[in-house]
Amino acid sequence: VNTINYNNINLENRDFSHADLAGVTFVAAEMRGINFQGANLSNAILTKGVLLKANLEGANLSGALVDRVTMDSANLKNAIFTEATLTSSRFYDAEVTGADFTDALIDRYQVSLLCKKADGVNPVTGVSTRDSLGCR
């Protein structure tokens, strides 16, 4: 079990690509431009974080608590958000091609915005982004 915590720390532009960060807490961390590409963030806690222009391509955030997070202009391509809690989070201009949001809790308004550009199929789970968001 990871007991590391990065609460209230400036991690701007840090490289955590392909790191095992399962269960790690990043509460109220400044994470603009952070690189989480291919990282395991399952069951991690990223509440009140700033992830502007962050790279989460291919990251696993299944079961993660990602509430009140700003993910504007973030790369969420092929990321896995199954059963994640994404309440009160923003995804303006985020790239979500191939992201899997199956059973994630997301505010209805954000889902409607995400559905406007949802496309692709997650290469790991085989689930279509549109289906995972329940887009019509």
Side-chain angles (χ1 to χ4, degrees), residues 80 98 100 102 120-129 131:
I80 300 171
D100 184 349
T102 302
V121 173
N122 188 281
V124 176
T125 65
V127 174
S128 121
T129 302
D131 289 348

Side-chain angles (χ1 to χ4, degrees), residues 15-134:
D15 185 0
F16 287 100
S17 55
H18 306 287
D20 183 1
L21 301 165
V24 173
T25 59
F26 294 89
V27 177
E30 168 59 71
M31 297 178 274
R32 286 170 206 263
I34 199 164
N35 184 1
F36 280 132
Q37 184 168 358
N40 178 8
L41 289 156
S42 56
N43 301 309
I45 299 171
L46 294 104
T47 54
K48 296 188 272 184
V50 178
L51 283 149
L52 282 164
K53 296 188 168 125
N55 181 2
L56 288 102
E57 184 168 339
N60 178 2
L61 289 99
S62 54
L65 181 59
V66 192
D67 71 321
R68 289 166 290 163
V69 172
T70 304
M71 290 202 187
D72 299 354
S73 301
N75 176 2
L76 309 179
K77 194 173 181 187
N78 299 328
I80 300 171
F81 290 98
T82 52
E83 297 179 9
T85 301
L86 303 163
T87 46
S88 300
S89 290
R90 286 187 7 196
F91 303 93
Y92 300 135
D93 297 319
E95 166 63 65
V96 295
T97 303
D100 184 349
F101 294 95
T102 302
D103 297 328
L105 293 174
I106 311 171
D107 299 338
R108 223 178 241 140
Y109 175 68
Q110 291 298 321
V111 169
S112 69
L113 291 179
L114 289 167
C115 282
K116 287 179 183 169
K117 58 182 163 197
D119 194 20
V121 173
N122 188 281
V124 176
T125 65
V127 174
S128 121
T129 302
R130 293 188 64 75
D131 289 348
S132 74
L133 286 164

